[in-house]
Every structure is written in C-alpha cells, then in structure tokens.
Amino acid sequence: MVLILSDSPQAAIRRFHIGRSRGMIGLVNRSRTALTALSLVSVLALGACSGDDPEPKFAEPSPSRSLPSSPSTTAVSGPVEPTMPAEAKGTDAAAAEAFVRFYWEMVNYAQATGDLDGLRGLAGPECKPCVSGIRGLERLVERKADVHGGEYDVSDISSAFFDNGGRITVRYKLASSRQVISYPSGKPSTYPAKQVDAMSLLRKDEGRWALEYWGEDPSKR
C-alpha cells in the first residue's frame, strides 16, 4: 500500500528520526549493542544511530563457520552474491520496497562471506546505521569470528512518499533468527531470534532510490 503524506518533509524526517537512539534489533544489542540488523537492523540487531552508535552485530547463516579474511575465489559452492532485481531499479514505490528487500539480502550475503563490497555500494556516508553495520562486520572479520544464525527476513512492507515525491519512507517487519558469535578466545555471545517494526528512508538519486537511513519504526513503539 502506498500513501502520500501531506505534511512537510522536515516533519516527516523528524518523526522518522525520533527513535534513532534505540538502535538496529537484535542486531545491535544495547550494551554492545549489536544491531541491532534490526536491533536488520534490535538489524533490528535493528539499531539506529546516535551520538554513541551501538556496535552493529550482523549474523551469518547456518552452518556455522568463521568469516574469511577475504572473499574466496576458489570455492565451488556457497552463498552467491545477490543481483539487484529489475523491480528494485527506478523511483516508484515498488522499486523502493524491492530495494529495501535487496539491501537485507545483501546483509545476509555479506555476513555469510565477509565480502562487503556490494553492501558498501548500496548507501552513502549519510546513512549512519549503514556505515555502523559495515564497521561491525569488518570487526567480525578482523577478529576471526565464528558466527551461526542471525539471517534477516523482511515482511509486511508498505511505503509512503513525502518531500513532494523526492523521498519515501518504507515500513516493514524485520526478523532475525537466533545467533551465536564466538571468537578464538572468550565466551560466545548468544542473541535470541527477534522481530521488530522497522523503517527505511530513501531519496531519489539519478533515477533510482538511495538509502539514507534505517532503524526501528518509532510509530510502532
């Protein structure tokens, strides 16, 4: 369902950023706090950013294995990097919603392989939760983390235009499965499966949508 918001872009953005300090979902937990991924995000992990951004915690799909220091070029099987679908290209509401789904597919791929290049290309430096998430993944790679579980899934997605159609807010449910992260030394950290109401803010950029922000939906608290 697509809605057209009649209020000012400043008011819409202000409402969107109200809950940023709460972080991304089970991804970022509050102390470490790993995303929240939705802290996908509470991923979400879902966690948004604040003056002291929580440290995002991204998960790796089963089976458990250590993240490689660099993407493998010899493996004959394993996760395949997602390709942006045709429906995610463009600047209509359907493209924005498909882009958000694709973003979380790329998060799953990045945490499964340690290959972060594709994820880096989906958002600019103004998307602080995106930057924080990538930094969290980089730390997992650097520390040779063994990650099990924590994949993200998007459902119940809808969107609403504002700023005279120049921006769009996409709301959705972001779920992450149970996750266990362990390191060569130290006690493993376990994060329960979680689902949060999330939202992403996108802006039009040269004929496509670009991600500006994502975090927990403050209107659903």
Side-chain angles (χ1 to χ4, degrees):
M1 178 176 75
V2 178
L3 304 175
I4 304 296
L5 300 184
S6 59
D7 57 357
S8 68
Q10 291 81 7
I13 294 174
R14 188 180 307 114
R15 284 202 315 276
F16 181 80
H17 287 285
I18 286 174
R20 294 173 63 178
S21 63
R22 295 246 342 235
M24 292 164 143
I25 254 189
L27 291 180
V28 154
N29 61 28
R30 299 285 296 192
S31 55
R32 173 181 164 128
T33 295
L35 225 205
T36 52
L38 244 223
S39 238
L40 169 146
V41 349
S42 307
V43 50
L44 138 112
L46 255 179
C49 58
S50 65
D52 182 15
D53 292 334
E55 177 181 336
K57 167 191 90 63
F58 287 86
E60 177 183 13
S62 320
S64 171
R65 65 180 174 180
S66 297
L67 293 175
S69 57
S70 61
S72 173
T73 58
T74 59
V76 296
S77 64
V80 176
E81 182 172 4
T83 299
M84 182 179 292
E87 56 267 30
K89 301 175 182 178
T91 55
D92 61 5
E97 293 173 9
F99 183 89
V100 169
R101 292 183 184 277
F102 175 68
Y103 175 82
W104 289 106
E105 290 178 3
M106 285 299 299
V107 169
N108 285 336
Y109 171 77
Q111 64 190 7
T113 64
D115 181 356
L116 311 182
D117 290 344
L119 187 61
R120 290 189 181 101
L122 295 183
E126 76 276 15
C127 182
K128 293 184 179 180
C130 305
V131 173
S132 294
I134 289 173
R135 287 174 179 169
L137 281 171
E138 290 172 341
R139 284 191 285 270
L140 290 178
V141 173
E142 292 168 358
R143 297 179 63 186
K144 302 184 185 304
D146 184 68
V147 187
H148 181 84
E151 291 181 292
Y152 300 103
D153 181 70
V154 173
S155 63
D156 296 347
I157 195 166
S158 63
S159 55
F161 286 101
F162 68 102
D163 196 14
N164 295 319
R167 285 190 173 94
I168 192 169
T169 297
V170 180
R171 290 182 166 86
Y172 50 98
K173 292 187 181 299
L174 183 63
S176 59
S177 61
R178 180 177 181 274
Q179 183 182 67
V180 178
I181 299 180
S182 55
Y183 302 92
S185 61
K187 182 179 179 180
S189 297
T190 300
Y191 304 89
K194 188 170 184 179
Q195 177 173 285
V196 299
D197 292 301
M199 62 190 302
S200 294
L201 178 66
L202 294 83
R203 62 174 169 75
K204 288 183 178 179
D205 182 21
E206 298 183 351
R208 71 177 200 111
W209 288 113
L211 189 60
E212 283 192 330
Y213 174 85
W214 64 260
E216 188 172 356
D217 186 347
S219 70
K220 298 296 183 66
R221 292 175 188 167

